[in-house]
Amino acid sequence: MDTTYNSNEDWMKLLISKTNQYLQQIHLGGGAKSMAKQKERNKLNARERIAYLCDSEKPFVEIGAFAGFEMYEAEGGCPAGGTVAGIGYINGQQAVIVANDQSVKAGAWFPITGKKNLRMQEIAMENRLPIIYLVDSAGVYLPMQDEIFPDKEHFGRVFRNNARMSAMGITQIAAVMGACVAGGAYLPIMSDETLMVEGNGSIFLAGSYLVKAAIGENIDNETLGGAITHTEISGIADYKFPTEEACLDHIKLLMGSLGDKPKAGFNRSTPILPKKATEEILGQMPVGNAKPYDMLEIIERLVDESKFDQFKQDYGKSILCGYARIDGWSVGIVANQRLVSKNKKGEMQIGGVIYNDSADKAARFIMNCNQKKIPLVFLQDVTGFMVGSRSEHSGIIKDGAKLVNAVANSVVPKITIIIGNSFGAGNYAMCGKAYDPRFIYAWPSARIAVMGGDQAANTLLQIQVSALKSKGQVISPEEEKKLLDGIKNKYEKQTSPFYAAARLWVDAIIEPRDTRTLISEAIGAANHNPEMEAFKTGVFQV
């Protein structure tokens, strides 16, 4: 190992450490005081419920841990969006699990909570996975009701999805372990089976205080909508249990009884570890993602036997395309190459930029993978498409549109990993969030923005300085530098992976060494959905 490798590794480990420090804070939920109140009522917290429910020997992939990160500070914060969620195994069955975190504002729904819950339902629908709801929520967070209640992608969409998933034959199981009130009361009843915990679980459209105010009736919450009421009188719930553990044990029983369903049939052979050590992946990304590096070195530390069969190896070198296996799964890989190289005309090509020939090659490769029913893995480190007269006259927009067309219309599962830059239209062409990847993850080194920080800051500075000068204000060099630094700091924060993950532009910030496992789990999830449309690219210029 050389000094460059060591520097790169140290930088990446610092980023991983920073990510883990944030996660430790997030895992505290609403804080020690709120967690203690759960224990006083003989309740597990959201993470404990999931840990008890899932098979310990199988991975649990948490989705949206950073949801809401640093977004609601005036409201006291909303760690993990007030919901702990992910994909795990229950009695051998892969499933989506969504657990309200009652320690965060009594499990109330913030705007990001709605977005996260809808994302989890989207994952269940796209991959035909069973979904388990562990319900413990006070409903909509009233001070922000206008941002969570009425729109298409708001709270009510959850119940629409309940109905759609039921029609699709997707198993839904709801365990009511705490409050389930108002509109939220529809979720468990629209699930296939409803379980309740005695003494803590309750379901009603209006609680006892509201009932008193509305119709003058005096009644306690347990009599109004507790487990005994709904299993013995209303018939709304199907089972009641004395403890949370007994309730969760029954979910395991139900999941173990599910029959087999057709699979997509993606090809998988016996997994073989990479020949190049996965551990060494930490030293491949240059510090600050500022220098060229060979993406092939990263790919060979992800794929089985480090074998990567390149497609059009000597053409369009700023994008690597090829076939490989990851944990046994057959995949097609589309990856940005950051090495500076020469094309056939002897012209220098800048790494990380998409050129005409690269776009053309990648579009053709994506079409091939759709033809062969091979899932696609995108490894993003892209600064955008090449600009300038030479590229424009060669039709870069036409070739870029061809690639975007192929990505948008691709019907095989797409898994996107943002390992470095994800700028401008390069984000779109390499299957960013807007292009429906089944799963999209980011390394701690990821940066997502319309353009690089320096270019954006200088562009914004010019606009602001021009506006001030038009008003007759004179800007000194010192003031201009101060203005530039302020713009840069704000832009740097907005391009960080934490900012992106807080808004669910990515599903999670992942440890680079876990990339191989997460891709494998993603394809395993996608394999549950046998339905696939015919691949059509639509109209594009040739």
Side-chain angles (χ1 to χ4, degrees), residues 119 126 414-416 431-440:
R119 173 61 180 147
E126 285 183 333
K414 297 170 289 191
I415 295 100
T416 300
C431 198
K433 185 65 183 288
Y435 288 77
D436 296 322
R438 292 288 180 95
F439 298 92
I440 178 168

Side-chain angles (χ1 to χ4, degrees), residues 333-346:
I333 295 175
V334 181
N336 302 111
Q337 175 60 290
R338 286 291 301 273
L339 283 177
V340 177
S341 62
K342 289 183 179 181
N343 62 18
K344 289 183 178 180
K345 297 178 181 177

Side-chain angles (χ1 to χ4, degrees), residues 444-509:
S445 49
R447 292 275 167 181
I448 304 172
V450 74
M451 65 176 71
D454 288 339
Q455 301 96 309
N458 283 301
T459 301
L460 291 169
L461 177 67
Q462 290 173 33
I463 294 169
Q464 290 191 25
V465 168
S466 296
L468 291 170
K469 286 182 177 178
S470 69
K471 295 176 183 178
Q473 296 184 34
V474 179
I475 305 297
S476 68
E478 292 78 16
E479 290 173 322
E480 192 169 308
K481 183 181 183 303
K482 186 177 179 181
L483 200 57
L484 179 63
D485 290 342
I487 294 170
K488 275 186 175 181
N489 290 337
K490 182 179 178 181
Y491 199 84
E492 281 299 306
K493 182 178 180 180
Q494 291 178 348
T495 62
S496 80
F498 308 111
Y499 191 92
R503 289 151 183 79
L504 293 173
W505 301 345
V506 296
D507 291 322
I509 301 172

Side-chain angles (χ1 to χ4, degrees), residues 44 73 108 113 145 173 176 202 277 279 342 357 381 471 531:
L44 303 173
E73 293 177 338
T113 315
Q145 64 85 26
I173 299 171
V176 181
S202 58
E279 178 72 24
K342 289 183 179 181
D357 51 0
D381 189 358
K471 295 176 183 178
E531 297 180 18

Side-chain angles (χ1 to χ4, degrees), residues 180-494:
C180 182
V181 302
Y186 289 105
L187 184 145
I189 313 311
M190 296 184 75
S191 299
D192 300 340
E193 297 185 81
T194 304
L195 297 69
M196 295 187 72
V197 177
E198 295 179 60
N200 284 326
S202 58
I203 305 172
F204 36 65
L205 294 179
S208 56
Y209 292 124
L210 186 52
V211 167
K212 173 67 174 175
I215 63 173
E217 180 183 3
N218 288 306
I219 190 168
D220 64 87
N221 283 338
E222 187 66 23
T223 305
L224 180 65
I228 292 174
T229 295
H230 285 314
T231 55
E232 298 181 14
I233 300 174
S234 73
I236 281 175
D238 304 306
Y239 313 92
K240 66 178 185 289
F241 303 92
T243 66
E244 291 196 4
E245 289 85 353
C247 180
L248 295 169
D249 284 337
H250 197 74
I251 294 176
K252 296 179 187 181
L253 180 68
L254 293 172
M255 289 295 291
S257 68
L258 297 182
D260 289 336
K261 291 188 177 181
K263 298 288 195 293
F266 300 124
N267 186 283
R268 192 180 195 187
S269 61
T270 303
I272 302 173
L273 291 173
K275 286 184 178 178
K276 293 189 176 181
T278 300
E279 178 72 24
E280 294 173 3
I281 207 167
L282 298 182
Q284 304 308 316
M285 288 287 292
V287 176
N289 198 21
K291 295 181 180 179
Y293 67 94
D294 191 353
M295 177 66 83
L296 196 59
E297 293 294 335
I298 289 175
I299 292 173
E300 290 177 345
R301 286 166 175 81
L302 292 176
V303 302
D304 292 16
E305 295 186 282
S306 299
K307 286 184 178 179
F308 181 55
D309 179 19
Q310 286 202 55
F311 174 79
K312 293 185 183 289
Q313 182 173 348
D314 298 320
Y315 179 73
K317 291 184 177 182
S318 71
I319 291 184
L320 300 176
C321 298
Y323 303 103
R325 289 188 181 273
I326 294 180
D327 199 34
W329 293 106
S330 173
V331 297
I333 295 175
V334 181
N336 302 111
Q337 175 60 290
R338 286 291 301 273
L339 283 177
V340 177
S341 62
K342 289 183 179 181
N343 62 18
K344 289 183 178 180
K345 297 178 181 177
E347 299 164 336
M348 296 302 294
Q349 292 194 318
I350 304 167
V353 178
I354 301 175
Y355 290 82
N356 301 72
D357 51 0
S358 302
D360 181 69
K361 175 174 93 171
R364 173 65 183 274
F365 180 72
I366 290 166
M367 294 167 71
N368 280 356
C369 288
N370 276 271
Q371 186 87 344
K372 298 174 181 177
K373 199 174 168 182
I374 298 175
L376 284 159
V377 174
F378 291 84
L379 301 178
Q380 278 200 21
D381 189 358
V382 57
T383 53
F385 285 85
M386 190 59 189
V387 297
S389 59
R390 185 185 298 275
S391 292
E392 296 293 358
H393 296 169
S394 299
I396 187 65
I397 299 173
K398 174 190 68 177
D399 291 321
K402 189 190 304 182
L403 175 53
V404 169
N405 196 315
V407 172
N409 285 297
S410 178
V411 296
V412 295
K414 297 170 289 191
I415 295 100
T416 300
I417 314 292
I418 303 174
I419 69 171
N421 298 325
S422 180
F423 295 160
N427 171 279
Y428 305 155
M430 291 296 294
C431 198
K433 185 65 183 288
Y435 288 77
D436 296 322
R438 292 288 180 95
F439 298 92
I440 178 168
Y441 298 117
W443 283 10
S445 49
R447 292 275 167 181
I448 304 172
V450 74
M451 65 176 71
D454 288 339
Q455 301 96 309
N458 283 301
T459 301
L460 291 169
L461 177 67
Q462 290 173 33
I463 294 169
Q464 290 191 25
V465 168
S466 296
L468 291 170
K469 286 182 177 178
S470 69
K471 295 176 183 178
Q473 296 184 34
V474 179
I475 305 297
S476 68
E478 292 78 16
E479 290 173 322
E480 192 169 308
K481 183 181 183 303
K482 186 177 179 181
L483 200 57
L484 179 63
D485 290 342
I487 294 170
K488 275 186 175 181
N489 290 337
K490 182 179 178 181
Y491 199 84
E492 281 299 306
K493 182 178 180 180
Q494 291 178 348

